[in-house]
Amino acid sequence: MAISEKFEYPKSIEGSASLLAKFLNKALFEELKNKKTANGFDLKNAINSGVKNPDSGIGVYAGDEESYDVFAPLFDKIIYDYHGFSKNDKHKTDLNADHLDAPNLDSENKFIISTRIRVARNIKNIPLGTIISKEQRNNVEKIVSETLLSFDGKLKGKYYPLNNMSAEDSEQLIKAHFLFKEGDRFLEAAGLNRDWADGRGIFHNEEKTFLVWINEEDQLRIISMQQGGNIKAVFERLTLAIKLLESKIDFSYNNHLGYISSCPTNLGTAMRASVHIKLPKLGNRDTEFKQITDTYHLQIRGIHGEHSQSESGVYDISNKRRLGVTEVQCVQDMYDGVKALIKREKEL
Ligand code: ADP
Ligand code: ARG
């Protein structure tokens, strides 16, 4: 923004269905427009993605942990709307896989193609990706990749920096659902694609069942995935990796918001547990499909992740709530909902 240009209430969000548009009225805009965190993250930074992309579902990002305090009059409302979590609530965590009740739902592999669970993490006292400097980003890459390279056993793997990867290799990894895609316009407007592709990369073990994305939307996305529907095995591998990483790196966490993430939808557990599942019949009954997913607090995505479409009746079904519920509950939400979806698909 040129210095002479005034920062005014964004007209582009009028009529938008985003949570930004729902809660940022003119009075609130005036109240927040000159606020900044100690790292210099301001309201313009926070809302630019939703302003540039009026088709956003949410439309805001944070620059650091302090953003959630400084812009609380806006963020708290968005957080309540998305997670049903209010400002006096406390977050809770449970990474004990024994607390999960999840016998394999589909041992004949008729419905569930694959299972994936990821969590986001960001390192304490380093700004989030929206305003991180190039040096800080490179430092995150160094800390995380060196830590991961010390892992052994089934978590042993290699680190592949994006700026050293051929276009064919990255395309192949994206198509096979292992790597983040490039050029996302929501992330672009949030400042998350600056200096692309430096400082970004992917670590994975030989079988690609344990993967870590470095410096995409969050500094770390820790991922466990495999073919089929053994949800418990995927959760167990993830919790092992989280515990190991947490013993070596201090992540940004507080008792109210849980793990701090750049997007408010990922706060708390920062966990998205999903299956790719074949539901060709239910997929043709929009209202009923949505009724079941709403009952179990689930989200429907397309086959190439967020903002993509379903293909051949295959959907990405995941937990929607991540804050105010434990990790075990996130996975249990997904499991219970998928059980109900399979039951209904069989009936049809
Ligand atoms: P995120 O999970 O990090 O929120 P996306 O929705 O963009 O981000 O998904 C990232 C990638 O993970 C996409 O390629 C998506 O197809 C893939 N993915 C998600 N769930 C599964 C799953 N259960 N099995 C295989 N791939 C999956
Ligand atoms: N900013 C995008 C929107 O508002 C995505 C929000 C949730 N997803 C995410 N990857 N953080 O639609």
Side-chain angles (χ1 to χ4, degrees):
M1 183 173 66
I3 291 172
S4 57
E5 215 178 290
K6 247 179 107 188
F7 179 36
E8 285 176 346
Y9 186 81
K11 289 220 165 35
S12 68
I13 65 171
E14 287 170 3
S16 151
S18 68
L19 296 186
L20 168 66
K22 182 168 175 185
F23 297 118
L24 187 72
N25 57 32
K26 290 185 180 151
L28 188 53
F29 177 83
E30 290 304 318
E31 179 189 332
L32 298 177
K33 75 176 186 193
N34 294 318
K35 300 228 156 127
K36 258 187 193 171
T37 69
N39 289 311
F41 189 80
D42 61 15
L43 184 67
K44 184 154 201 288
N45 296 138
I47 67 175
N48 196 51
S49 190
V51 169
K52 294 276 161 59
N53 301 287
D55 59 337
S56 291
I58 313 297
V60 298
Y61 288 87
D64 41 31
E65 184 170 351
E66 197 195 344
S67 309
Y68 288 104
D69 283 332
V70 172
F71 303 106
L74 173 63
F75 275 77
D76 282 351
K77 293 192 181 80
I78 291 177
I79 289 168
Y80 184 75
D81 193 296
Y82 185 88
H83 299 278
F85 182 85
S86 48
K87 61 178 180 222
N88 300 319
D89 291 342
K90 282 212 170 359
H91 181 65
K92 40 194 182 213
T93 175
D94 181 3
L95 281 162
N96 187 340
D98 292 339
H99 297 163
L100 189 68
D101 178 18
N104 197 333
L105 282 172
D106 182 32
S107 35
E108 290 168 37
N109 293 324
K110 281 198 181 143
F111 299 94
I112 302 177
I113 298 170
S114 52
T115 304
R116 173 182 185 266
I117 312 179
R118 61 85 165 152
V119 292
R121 292 288 184 272
N122 291 280
I123 302 180
K124 206 183 186 102
N125 298 326
I126 299 183
L128 297 170
T130 47
I131 51 162
I132 198 169
S133 72
K134 193 170 165 61
E135 291 66 38
Q136 287 167 325
R137 190 190 302 107
N138 290 342
N139 191 33
V140 168
E141 181 189 35
K142 185 170 182 310
I143 295 169
V144 178
S145 60
E146 284 179 3
T147 304
L148 288 166
L149 287 169
S150 72
F151 283 13
D152 239 339
K154 60 184 177 189
L155 303 184
K156 184 182 170 67
K158 288 188 186 150
Y159 178 60
Y160 305 87
L162 209 61
N163 59 10
N164 198 24
M165 195 186 286
S166 72
E168 294 76 48
D169 285 352
S170 70
E171 249 168 61
Q172 189 48 42
L173 285 171
I174 293 168
K175 233 173 110 189
H177 308 288
F178 295 121
L179 181 61
F180 46 87
K181 52 188 191 293
E182 276 185 37
D184 180 279
R185 65 189 159 93
F186 301 90
L187 300 186
E188 176 68 31
L192 279 154
N193 292 347
R194 289 170 302 124
D195 310 310
W196 194 274
D198 293 346
R200 279 83 174 182
I202 182 171
F203 170 94
H204 64 75
N205 64 0
E206 180 97 11
E207 310 87 73
K208 302 198 189 77
T209 53
F210 167 57
L211 311 95
V212 180
W213 294 354
I214 302 184
N215 287 319
E216 193 242 8
E217 179 175 329
D218 288 291
Q219 293 166 7
L220 289 84
R221 286 288 173 94
I222 309 166
I223 302 162
S224 168
M225 64 197 282
Q226 69 189 47
Q227 294 299 304
N230 193 341
I231 296 171
K232 188 158 182 171
V234 173
F235 186 60
E236 274 169 349
R237 186 187 309 110
L238 180 72
T239 57
L240 173 68
I242 293 175
K243 281 172 196 155
L244 263 174
L245 276 160
E246 286 189 336
S247 71
K248 295 176 195 278
I249 301 175
D250 210 0
F251 294 118
S252 189
Y253 180 91
N254 71 51
N255 289 333
H256 173 50
L257 295 177
Y259 290 98
I260 300 302
S261 55
S262 61
C263 175
T265 63
N266 282 319
L267 288 165
T269 58
M271 174 174 281
R272 190 170 87 87
S274 65
V275 289
H276 275 179
I277 182 169
K278 289 183 243 177
L279 298 170
K281 299 202 177 88
L282 207 44
N284 279 329
R285 298 174 164 232
D286 285 359
T287 316
E288 192 184 356
F289 191 11
K290 182 128 196 326
Q291 233 164 25
I292 302 177
T293 53
D294 283 351
T295 304
Y296 290 92
H297 311 285
L298 302 181
Q299 196 175 58
I300 308 170
R301 293 187 179 184
I303 199 68
H304 292 290
E306 196 170 30
H307 307 120
S308 74
Q309 297 303 312
S310 155
E311 284 169 21
S312 322
V314 179
Y315 295 85
D316 170 330
I317 303 292
S318 61
N319 62 298
K320 181 170 183 249
R321 306 184 292 182
R322 314 192 211 288
L323 173 60
V325 286
T326 67
E327 289 82 355
V328 167
Q329 283 170 314
C330 287
V331 181
Q332 198 71 52
D333 274 356
M334 190 272 275
Y335 179 90
D336 294 344
V338 166
K339 188 171 173 183
L341 289 168
I342 292 179
K343 180 169 175 282
R344 187 62 190 134
E345 182 71 17
K346 279 184 179 162
E347 286 165 3
L348 294 170

